[in-house]
Amino acid sequence: MGVKNATMSQRLKQFMWCVLPGVAATVLVLWVFSSQPDLIKRFDLRIYDKFLERTSGGEPSDVPILIDIDEKSLQRYGQWPWSRYRAAQLLAKLYGNGVAAIGVDILMSEPDRTSPSLVIDQIKKDFNVDIKHTVFPKDLLDNDLMFANVLGQISAVMSSFISNSSSDIPASPVPSLRLSEIRASGAPSLIECVPNGLGLTMPLPVLSKAARGVGFMNAEGDIDGLFRRLPLFMSYDGKLIPSLALATLSLAAGGGSKASQLMVKMDVDGPSSVKFSDITIPMSHEGSLPVMFRRRADGAGTDIYPRYSACDVIEGRVGPDLLNGKIAFVGSTVAGLKDLRPTPFDNAYPGLELHAALVDTILSGRFLTVPQWLPGAEFLITLAVGIFAMLLFGLAPPVIYVSLSIAAAFAVWQGTLWQFTNKGMFFSPTYPFLALALNGFFITGMRFWLEDKSKRVLKKAFSNYVSPEVVSQIMAKGSAASLQGEQRDITIIFTDIRGFTSLTEKLQPTQVVELLGRYFTPMTAIVRESGGTLDKFVGDAMMAFWNAPIDVPEHPRRAVQALLDMHTKLDELNVSLEADMGVRLAMGGGIHTGQAHVGNMGTEDLMDYTAIGDTVNTASRVEGMCSKYGSGAVVSGETRALCADDFAWQRIDTVRVKGRTQGVELWQPMTFDEAAARKDELELWAEAFAHYEKGEFSEARKICAQLAEKFDKIKLYKIFEERCAELMENAPENWDGILKYDTK
């Protein structure tokens, strides 16, 4: 539970560190949403185009058609511009075949230079030759008048052009528009909201007066140059002008004699819709309408609507079966006339077809609306995604936040796509995506920094205690929880140099420092190489343990082997120490295994990774037995039981050390080779100790006396000879084989 709580606390601290970059990322995205920079707009428009592809299928309206002054017609009647009488002939043919309304996508702002009257005047001026007008019928002298006479009899709308330059001066008055406004309280007028032109080019006065309407032919692209929407209204000199497509459609809806009455609904933010006849068209607050372009099955974005050659109409090859009830837009798609516009589906989309696409959008009811609440909803969705991303990237592990962030991005994409295709509203997924991306970038960057910092702390904390390999494992584990307090089964070793105090009296202080350095260097290397953790040095004593902070398999065996290796290394070291300083070192080491509390302990200013608990105290007491029994290595029964088959053992004693009520078995480890060499000795000792445990002190004393005489350098046998002699005289009533030590 302690480790779990420590881990949770660590994650909470990490999250708190991640809150600031998460908040910064979310606020940054919301600021970008409010400022709408061009780069994001461009990206947003690309996503809009992808969504538009999903709705580009289906059958288009059969009402709009194109009458194309194409290459075939130019070859038949000569280069452009044609004489106005040819245009009059074309429009008369269309109307005569039942066309409901005609939109003329040709700007006729100058007189027709091919009119006979103008030609006669020019010849007289240049050559002083007066050609009598009587040569020509009166009705054929002026092509513009002839064209105006035809306009007065048919349902046609002429084109004007609104520009941002004041150099364009209208050649004729701007016709009044049949329009009324339904305003909400505090709503502006339509003319305040729509784009205002500084210049206007109108058809010739004789033509604009004769036509049933005049509409602008303008179309402006988005920031990336693509045409996605068309304005329905623009203004000039305080007057409203409809688009050519809207004027032609309203004329057709009015029966062809005059344009329908337009009713515009005005909200506080601007226009919301325009209605005429039974048609209601939603508008943006700037008075524009997105064109819902279509594509053919082969992927082409043009030639969606029926297109007929102008010469075929004039010469009667296109009849009422194809024209009756249609709205015809007359113009040219010839590339040389440069009336081509880039759209999401085609880089060379004929301007003539734009008008037909807008009429198709209206008649098909395929509207894309922007309700007043949409920007607020986008803001809230972006904020919600930002908060979600902050929690996700701040708390979840990588495998979770990667998968969930991908799932969230997919959900946002599918949700906004569904809204576009089913509800006709474009919720921009760009800003939720940006909130996910920036939170991911900022917070994961912070997490990587914190993790790197944590690893540096871990490396600094453990590099002096354990081997580089163990440090690498701790860092790979990547959790500062390794420093938190936890209960673990560990094996502890204490070592001490015998008679060190008296030894140092013979040496200079600098020699003592050098001696300890030469001693501790190989000893700590053995600990670290065996997977142990160096705890501390206290004078000439050393404490180390195994199985913390990381798991160490077979830690009791590793600890015992390390102690044996220390004695081997000390024998080698003593050769050089005796030669250099005239001293030899003797070492005792005690080992015990059990549960202990390990972790960083101390004050806020001074921390130390160590172990505390009864196991540590017992290990210290076991090491203290080395000097009492004259042994260089003493191991508790708990440790010996966990690695009994890995070494040979000699039973030393069972004692009740200070601070413990239970007896502790003491064992001396040795290699199997040493045990084989001492086979007779060890068997005899085992027999003596068995008598001792049973309370048969006389038999035990006899064997111990033999061993003490034969192996006079082994202190253990002399101790037990004397102890058995005492017990023979003063044997305890309830002998349990355990000797109690009241001192450390």
Side-chain angles (χ1 to χ4, degrees), residues 549-571:
I550 64 171
D551 295 336
V552 178
E554 300 182 327
H555 52 92
R557 180 191 63 78
R558 289 173 180 252
V560 173
Q561 184 62 56
L563 181 55
L564 295 179
D565 291 343
M566 288 179 190
H567 280 285
T568 301
K569 178 60 68 175
L570 184 60
D571 291 340

Side-chain angles (χ1 to χ4, degrees), residues 204-225:
L204 290 171
V206 66
L207 302 182
S208 61
K209 290 178 182 179
R212 302 290 169 85
V214 176
F216 61 81
M217 60 196 311
N218 297 62
E220 293 187 6
D222 287 319
I223 192 172
D224 59 355

Side-chain angles (χ1 to χ4, degrees), residues 181-195:
E181 297 180 14
I182 304 174
R183 296 188 193 176
S185 177
S189 63
L190 178 60
I191 200 168
E192 296 178 81
C193 302
V194 300

Side-chain angles (χ1 to χ4, degrees), residues 6 12 25 103 142 196 212 295 311 336 354 425 538 638 642 650:
L12 182 59
D142 191 333
N196 178 58
R212 302 290 169 85
R295 291 202 302 183
C311 68
L354 276 175
M425 285 183 285
V538 181
E638 286 83 352
L642 295 171
Q650 181 180 18

Side-chain angles (χ1 to χ4, degrees), residues 178-318:
R178 297 183 64 205
L179 182 142
S180 60
E181 297 180 14
I182 304 174
R183 296 188 193 176
S185 177
S189 63
L190 178 60
I191 200 168
E192 296 178 81
C193 302
V194 300
N196 178 58
L198 300 178
L200 173 64
T201 302
M202 288 286 288
L204 290 171
V206 66
L207 302 182
S208 61
K209 290 178 182 179
R212 302 290 169 85
V214 176
F216 61 81
M217 60 196 311
N218 297 62
E220 293 187 6
D222 287 319
I223 192 172
D224 59 355
L226 298 186
F227 289 78
R228 297 179 178 86
R229 59 181 61 241
L230 292 177
L232 297 181
F233 296 97
M234 294 182 72
S235 68
Y236 171 77
D237 195 25
K239 291 188 177 181
L240 287 168
I241 304 174
S243 70
L244 178 64
L246 178 62
T248 306
L249 179 58
S250 65
L251 180 60
S257 59
K258 62 180 179 180
S260 300
Q261 173 75 24
L262 302 177
M263 291 190 300
V264 177
K265 184 179 180 181
M266 299 296 298
D267 294 330
V268 291
D269 295 323
S272 62
S273 66
V274 57
K275 182 178 181 180
F276 56 90
S277 187
D278 59 347
I279 299 174
T280 302
I281 307 170
M283 288 190 296
S284 71
H285 297 322
E286 297 80 30
S288 65
L289 178 67
V291 180
M292 303 300 284
F293 294 99
R294 297 186 187 272
R295 291 202 302 183
R296 300 201 310 263
D298 61 2
T302 56
D303 296 328
I304 302 297
Y305 309 100
R307 181 182 302 187
Y308 306 112
S309 175
C311 68
D312 289 338
V313 174
I314 294 172
E315 297 172 6
R317 288 186 290 274
V318 180

